[in-house]
Amino acid sequence: MSANWEVQALRVTLFPIEATAVSSEWWTDFTGFSPDNENRQPKDAIVVVSGAFEDKLLSLSSGVGRIDLTYQALSPLLQVPLQESQTLPKLTMGSVDTLLETTFSRIAPICARAKAVHRIALGGVFLSPVSSKTEAYLMLKGLLKSVAVQPERMSDLTYRVNWPIRDTAGRVVNRLGTWSSLRTRMGALGLTESPTVLSEDNYVNFESDLNTAPATEVQFQGEEILSELHFLRGVLEENLRLGEVF
């Protein structure tokens, strides 16, 4: 049983050596146009630049010691009472392959602006739609190698493990993954005591956190940053394709 993964959240994180603040220019380098918002909190050294990008909410933020590029789903505005023609909010932002390709085709200017970093991370939350809880556990049985999954008997399974690996230069990369089943229910509040159920869906849930091991000195600079991100992308795609890998 193969998984059809969709993206609920995606994050690229760089840990620069020197104090670095993002700006609207960073966002424009990535998207090709100006952001909707730029918020600054000088006291805490926090900058957040955000806006709609390809039907998603894209944010570029910087704080003490880190730069984050994150995607979140944009929720449609719902009218009350609910109209039949309205689109219900979605948990995901579409195909993982499409969003990764979009991100990595545009990320080079962000890496160049970061200059020198001591850590890099790529993470996200990914959902594979299934028809039932039983199907979710059947899929988990194929994805997990260290757990004897019993679809007919199990419930509330959450499995989290770190299988560290080494990159092409021999540096340690933490390969942290969490697998579980997920059921969502969307309802509308009305005049009755209980909400009206609008949709109920089942998923296999995979949370990935790939990051280079902590270091205080410069580990990546220039094109090395982009190269390491591509390595992390390959590791993520392997987990999405094969499940737990060790």
Side-chain angles (χ1 to χ4, degrees), residues 22 38 56 66 71 83 85 98 148 170 178-179 199 222:
V22 300
E38 180 173 339
K56 305 166 186 65
R66 65 185 292 155
Y71 291 96
Q83 305 296 314
S85 60
T98 300
T178 305
W179 289 264
S199 67

PDB file of all heavy atoms in Angstrom, residues 22 38 56 66 71 83 85 98 148 170 178-179 199 222:
ATOM      1  N   VAL A  22      15.808  39.120   8.534  1.00  0.00           N
ATOM      2  CA  VAL A  22      15.186  39.076   7.213  1.00  0.00           C
ATOM      3  C   VAL A  22      14.484  40.405   6.947  1.00  0.00           C
ATOM      4  O   VAL A  22      14.310  41.232   7.843  1.00  0.00           O
ATOM      5  CB  VAL A  22      14.192  37.903   7.107  1.00  0.00           C
ATOM      6  CG1 VAL A  22      14.891  36.575   7.347  1.00  0.00           C
ATOM      7  CG2 VAL A  22      13.026  38.083   8.075  1.00  0.00           C
ATOM      8  N   GLU A  38       5.008  43.064   6.984  1.00  0.00           N
ATOM      9  CA  GLU A  38       6.331  42.983   7.597  1.00  0.00           C
ATOM     10  C   GLU A  38       6.201  43.514   9.023  1.00  0.00           C
ATOM     11  O   GLU A  38       5.887  44.682   9.230  1.00  0.00           O
ATOM     12  CB  GLU A  38       7.376  43.783   6.829  1.00  0.00           C
ATOM     13  CG  GLU A  38       8.756  43.698   7.471  1.00  0.00           C
ATOM     14  CD  GLU A  38       9.863  44.343   6.641  1.00  0.00           C
ATOM     15  OE1 GLU A  38       9.680  44.505   5.415  1.00  0.00           O
ATOM     16  OE2 GLU A  38      10.904  44.697   7.230  1.00  0.00           O
ATOM     17  N   LYS A  56      -1.067  29.705  -0.553  1.00  0.00           N
ATOM     18  CA  LYS A  56      -0.569  29.297   0.758  1.00  0.00           C
ATOM     19  C   LYS A  56      -0.115  30.539   1.510  1.00  0.00           C
ATOM     20  O   LYS A  56       0.116  31.589   0.907  1.00  0.00           O
ATOM     21  CB  LYS A  56       0.599  28.316   0.610  1.00  0.00           C
ATOM     22  CG  LYS A  56       0.282  27.099  -0.227  1.00  0.00           C
ATOM     23  CD  LYS A  56       1.547  26.357  -0.605  1.00  0.00           C
ATOM     24  CE  LYS A  56       1.254  25.222  -1.563  1.00  0.00           C
ATOM     25  NZ  LYS A  56       0.732  25.691  -2.877  1.00  0.00           N
ATOM     26  N   ARG A  66      18.380  32.287  14.364  1.00  0.00           N
ATOM     27  CA  ARG A  66      17.726  31.411  13.391  1.00  0.00           C
ATOM     28  C   ARG A  66      16.938  32.210  12.356  1.00  0.00           C
ATOM     29  O   ARG A  66      16.499  33.338  12.588  1.00  0.00           O
ATOM     30  CB  ARG A  66      16.817  30.404  14.077  1.00  0.00           C
ATOM     31  CG  ARG A  66      15.633  30.996  14.795  1.00  0.00           C
ATOM     32  CD  ARG A  66      14.868  29.898  15.535  1.00  0.00           C
ATOM     33  NE  ARG A  66      14.217  28.958  14.636  1.00  0.00           N
ATOM     34  CZ  ARG A  66      13.910  27.715  14.955  1.00  0.00           C
ATOM     35  NH1 ARG A  66      14.206  27.236  16.153  1.00  0.00           N
ATOM     36  NH2 ARG A  66      13.290  26.921  14.097  1.00  0.00           N
ATOM     37  N   TYR A  71       5.552  27.364   5.495  1.00  0.00           N
ATOM     38  CA  TYR A  71       4.285  27.390   4.765  1.00  0.00           C
ATOM     39  C   TYR A  71       3.167  26.926   5.686  1.00  0.00           C
ATOM     40  O   TYR A  71       3.340  25.989   6.464  1.00  0.00           O
ATOM     41  CB  TYR A  71       4.308  26.418   3.578  1.00  0.00           C
ATOM     42  CG  TYR A  71       5.199  26.774   2.434  1.00  0.00           C
ATOM     43  CD1 TYR A  71       6.484  26.238   2.353  1.00  0.00           C
ATOM     44  CD2 TYR A  71       4.759  27.580   1.382  1.00  0.00           C
ATOM     45  CE1 TYR A  71       7.302  26.509   1.266  1.00  0.00           C
ATOM     46  CE2 TYR A  71       5.576  27.856   0.305  1.00  0.00           C
ATOM     47  CZ  TYR A  71       6.840  27.315   0.242  1.00  0.00           C
ATOM     48  OH  TYR A  71       7.652  27.577  -0.827  1.00  0.00           O
ATOM     49  N   GLN A  83     -23.153  28.094   3.160  1.00  0.00           N
ATOM     50  CA  GLN A  83     -23.755  27.923   1.852  1.00  0.00           C
ATOM     51  C   GLN A  83     -23.195  26.666   1.179  1.00  0.00           C
ATOM     52  O   GLN A  83     -22.035  26.314   1.371  1.00  0.00           O
ATOM     53  CB  GLN A  83     -23.462  29.147   0.974  1.00  0.00           C
ATOM     54  CG  GLN A  83     -23.888  30.472   1.582  1.00  0.00           C
ATOM     55  CD  GLN A  83     -25.383  30.554   1.772  1.00  0.00           C
ATOM     56  OE1 GLN A  83     -26.150  30.205   0.882  1.00  0.00           O
ATOM     57  NE2 GLN A  83     -25.804  31.018   2.946  1.00  0.00           N
ATOM     58  N   SER A  85     -22.311  26.183  -1.780  1.00  0.00           N
ATOM     59  CA  SER A  85     -21.244  26.467  -2.741  1.00  0.00           C
ATOM     60  C   SER A  85     -19.902  26.761  -2.079  1.00  0.00           C
ATOM     61  O   SER A  85     -18.882  26.845  -2.758  1.00  0.00           O
ATOM     62  CB  SER A  85     -21.634  27.653  -3.618  1.00  0.00           C
ATOM     63  OG  SER A  85     -21.850  28.808  -2.815  1.00  0.00           O
ATOM     64  N   THR A  98       5.127  18.645  -5.325  1.00  0.00           N
ATOM     65  CA  THR A  98       4.976  19.972  -5.940  1.00  0.00           C
ATOM     66  C   THR A  98       5.544  21.073  -5.054  1.00  0.00           C
ATOM     67  O   THR A  98       6.271  21.955  -5.520  1.00  0.00           O
ATOM     68  CB  THR A  98       3.492  20.246  -6.227  1.00  0.00           C
ATOM     69  OG1 THR A  98       2.988  19.251  -7.126  1.00  0.00           O
ATOM     70  CG2 THR A  98       3.311  21.627  -6.845  1.00  0.00           C
ATOM     71  N   ALA A 148       5.736  -3.838  15.664  1.00  0.00           N
ATOM     72  CA  ALA A 148       4.834  -4.868  15.151  1.00  0.00           C
ATOM     73  C   ALA A 148       3.412  -4.319  15.210  1.00  0.00           C
ATOM     74  O   ALA A 148       2.700  -4.496  16.202  1.00  0.00           O
ATOM     75  CB  ALA A 148       4.970  -6.149  15.967  1.00  0.00           C
ATOM     76  N   GLY A 170      30.347  13.517   5.986  1.00  0.00           N
ATOM     77  CA  GLY A 170      30.567  12.806   7.241  1.00  0.00           C
ATOM     78  C   GLY A 170      29.984  13.476   8.466  1.00  0.00           C
ATOM     79  O   GLY A 170      30.189  12.994   9.579  1.00  0.00           O
ATOM     80  N   THR A 178       8.095  10.926  13.293  1.00  0.00           N
ATOM     81  CA  THR A 178       6.974  10.529  14.141  1.00  0.00           C
ATOM     82  C   THR A 178       5.823  10.103  13.242  1.00  0.00           C
ATOM     83  O   THR A 178       5.397  10.872  12.371  1.00  0.00           O
ATOM     84  CB  THR A 178       6.517  11.688  15.038  1.00  0.00           C
ATOM     85  OG1 THR A 178       7.622  12.172  15.798  1.00  0.00           O
ATOM     86  CG2 THR A 178       5.417  11.237  15.987  1.00  0.00           C
ATOM     87  N   TRP A 179       5.320   8.896  13.465  1.00  0.00           N
ATOM     88  CA  TRP A 179       4.217   8.353  12.671  1.00  0.00           C
ATOM     89  C   TRP A 179       3.012   8.101  13.575  1.00  0.00           C
ATOM     90  O   TRP A 179       3.156   7.648  14.719  1.00  0.00           O
ATOM     91  CB  TRP A 179       4.616   7.039  12.006  1.00  0.00           C
ATOM     92  CG  TRP A 179       5.589   7.152  10.888  1.00  0.00           C
ATOM     93  CD1 TRP A 179       5.324   7.207   9.543  1.00  0.00           C
ATOM     94  CD2 TRP A 179       7.024   7.194  10.973  1.00  0.00           C
ATOM     95  NE1 TRP A 179       6.478   7.290   8.812  1.00  0.00           N
ATOM     96  CE2 TRP A 179       7.550   7.283   9.668  1.00  0.00           C
ATOM     97  CE3 TRP A 179       7.920   7.166  12.057  1.00  0.00           C
ATOM     98  CZ2 TRP A 179       8.900   7.336   9.404  1.00  0.00           C
ATOM     99  CZ3 TRP A 179       9.273   7.228  11.798  1.00  0.00           C
ATOM    100  CH2 TRP A 179       9.763   7.312  10.479  1.00  0.00           C
ATOM    101  N   SER A 199     -17.733  17.129   7.721  1.00  0.00           N
ATOM    102  CA  SER A 199     -16.815  16.167   7.097  1.00  0.00           C
ATOM    103  C   SER A 199     -16.081  15.406   8.176  1.00  0.00           C
ATOM    104  O   SER A 199     -15.875  15.916   9.289  1.00  0.00           O
ATOM    105  CB  SER A 199     -15.816  16.875   6.177  1.00  0.00           C
ATOM    106  OG  SER A 199     -14.932  17.687   6.924  1.00  0.00           O
ATOM    107  N   GLY A 222      28.044  29.696   1.661  1.00  0.00           N
ATOM    108  CA  GLY A 222      27.878  29.759   0.218  1.00  0.00           C
ATOM    109  C   GLY A 222      27.031  28.617  -0.323  1.00  0.00           C
ATOM    110  O   GLY A 222      25.962  28.300   0.210  1.00  0.00           O
TER     111      GLY A 222
END
